Amino acid sequence: MDKVSYTTPDIPAAERFVRSQPAYASLRFVALEGASWRDTYLDTDTWAVWRGGFSLAMRHRADGAEVALEALAERDGEAGTQELLAYSKDEAERGSVSDRVRLLTSGAALHTVLEMETNRTSFSVLREDEEVARLHLDATSVVTGEDEKSGLNRVEVEETGGGGLAHLGPFLQAMEASCALAKVEDSRFEASLSLRGADPESSLDFGYAELTPDATTGEYAYAILRCYFAGFLRHEPGTRLGEDPEELHDMRVATRRMRAAMSIFKPALPPRFFTLRDELKWIAGALGTVRDLDVQMEWLTSLRADTDWRDSTAVGPLVEDIVEARTVARSELLEAMASERFTDLIDSMMTSLRQGDEGVGDAATPIRKHTVEVLRKRNRKFRKPASKLKRGSPAEEYHAVRIAAKRLRYSLDSFLPALPRRQRATRMVDAMKQVQELLGQHQDCAVAIERLRGLVDAKGGALPPATLFRMGELVEQCRARMAEIRDGWREAFDEVEDAWDRLKVTFNDVEETGEEVHQDPEATEEQARPPVQRPFSLLQRFFTRREED
């Protein structure tokens, strides 16, 4: 059900407004029993619960204590409203909460980060004698210091019946005008943190992280590594929890990008980063194993949902095999993330990034000059094998080109803020996305075929005939998609070649003047051609990857 929140300077005035509504109005407001409670919010020193997208509170009422683990909405551009994920009133129900918290925090100690006391006045909103919403008037006192409290007044309307908020529209408009209500998107927890002066984002601050075209290579390298490492840490608790596969995916992408950046900026970074890059490769391997199984599980789940009963049943043993393998892989991942080695990796990254750039040697080179050198080198390493790919080339050669494409793509992404004539650079990035997408699908198909073959070798005699037949069909679907990609490869590669020819002309501006050109004379030129649309299939839908993969 939907929910809307407002701030108000005067809770008593808001209550008088609600109670003053006439009996003949289309909505009736029936007062409910009031409530009071005290919330104590807990988190680790590194804000692991918050980084996982949750708040954890002990709620103390007159009749006892409750535990609430609430999911905060997305922090990137979405509303900060809260949705109850897990809730317990007695010892028997507390397990699901404690298990989740243990995963989010990896057993780290919890301490109080926020305390508040709330007095609530509630009304049931009736329309034609049926409840459509609940209206809450909350007067909250937030502890902001020793013997200091700040007020936080909220009006919250929760829909309890179909179209509840729509029915309240005119009333809420009138209440906004009469009681100076202001709609808010942040949660009570987040607003209270602000009042207290607590900033969870500070746990992800490792120094200057602005990517500017006038930076030195060293400054730029540290800034981009700080950005990627913050993303790595932001998704670490969610990866531990394991309830949203995208958390693991995003952590894996951040790991890849950090390793790519350490390679791109190797001349400007101290030797300690080479060891850190090896350690990131170790944890990336554990993340990648689980992610690959997640992708295969998504495929098989889609197959079961979109096929008839016979084919869906035949896929069952394949799903069981993936579930078994993923359980083992996730256990190994959690063991790795709980290890002293992983803790040392985190601590070493934090220390290294906070030490910052020394500004000597290659680190003092202007970033624009370094950008040109790296991109030319990465493009040569991509173009040479890519230009030789043919329809009959081995899958290993397509995979090798995919790796080179990924390195060029990550370099382009890293350097985009420093590149001149941004529109041409963006066109090159878009062309590389398409190439990476196609090659990624090709590799996914190759991996799926090998997994199905391996399953036949290991368990073929125990698999039902219907499953073996279905596996043969899936192999043929994979081969058909690979053939389709190979047929379209030359067109995608030609698009990259064209985009590169336009981009490399701008490198002269950097080499000759060292100045970024902000205006692109091709601003009105035709954009890069959209990818060729081919017949859509279940396999293709499954293998449509997120562009970072």
Side-chain angles (χ1 to χ4, degrees), residues 9 21 71 75 121 141 151 249 267 270 276 285 298 300 311 347 368 374 391 406 463 471 494 540:
Q21 299 308 304
R75 290 186 291 271
T121 301
S141 295
H249 169 74
L276 290 172
E298 183 183 347
L300 294 176
D311 286 345
D347 291 344
R368 288 188 289 264
V374 171
R391 195 180 192 281
K406 186 185 303 180
L463 294 174
M471 291 169 70
D494 288 346
Q540 185 174 351

Side-chain angles (χ1 to χ4, degrees), residues 406-426:
K406 186 185 303 180
R407 289 172 178 167
L408 176 55
R409 159 79 191 287
Y410 281 172
S411 299
L412 286 163
D413 286 344
S414 296
F415 289 133
L416 193 58
L419 285 168
R421 303 195 181 185
R422 192 71 50 80
Q423 187 171 358
R424 297 190 188 192
T426 301

Side-chain angles (χ1 to χ4, degrees), residues 168-357:
L168 265 71
F171 166 78
L172 290 176
Q173 290 179 359
M175 191 175 183
E176 286 182 36
S178 176
C179 304
L181 301 189
K183 187 177 291 188
V184 291
E185 303 293 351
D186 60 342
S187 67
R188 189 197 314 268
F189 169 67
E190 292 164 316
S192 298
L193 283 178
S194 180
L195 280 175
R196 190 178 181 277
D199 181 16
E201 287 284 353
S202 63
S203 66
L204 304 175
D205 183 0
F206 306 103
Y208 187 76
E210 294 294 325
L211 303 176
T212 58
D214 56 351
T216 64
T217 299
E219 292 169 340
Y220 198 96
Y222 273 87
I224 201 163
L225 282 171
R226 287 164 182 154
C227 292
Y228 292 156
F229 186 56
F232 176 87
L233 291 181
R234 187 181 294 276
H235 297 291
E236 175 211 351
T239 297
R240 295 182 192 272
L241 185 60
E243 295 183 352
D244 181 0
E246 292 305 306
E247 289 291 317
L248 183 146
H249 169 74
D250 290 339
M251 184 178 179
R252 184 193 187 196
V253 168
T255 306
R256 283 177 164 180
R257 290 184 178 275
M258 279 191 288
R259 295 190 68 242
M262 289 176 184
S263 175
I264 292 168
F265 296 105
K266 182 176 180 179
L269 293 172
R272 62 179 179 270
F273 280 99
F274 309 153
T275 301
L276 290 172
R277 188 171 186 272
D278 291 339
E279 291 300 281
L280 287 170
K281 181 179 182 180
W282 159 69
I283 197 63
L287 291 166
T289 301
V290 179
R291 173 60 183 172
D292 290 345
L293 291 168
D294 282 341
V295 170
Q296 292 179 46
M297 176 60 75
E298 183 183 347
W299 174 38
L300 294 176
T301 301
S302 298
L303 284 172
R304 300 192 82 174
D306 293 0
T307 56
D308 61 28
W309 172 254
R310 183 179 62 180
D311 286 345
S312 175
T313 303
V315 171
L318 306 183
V319 173
E320 292 176 1
D321 178 70
I322 295 294
V323 169
E324 180 181 339
R326 190 189 184 281
T327 299
V328 173
R330 174 163 165 76
S331 177
E332 292 174 349
L333 172 62
L334 290 177
E335 183 178 347
M337 294 179 71
S339 68
E340 185 176 346
R341 182 178 180 180
F342 184 74
T343 300
D344 290 344
L345 168 61
I346 299 299
D347 291 344
S348 297
M349 280 293 300
M350 287 181 176
T351 300
S352 296
L353 291 177
R354 284 175 174 146
Q355 285 178 353
D357 169 46

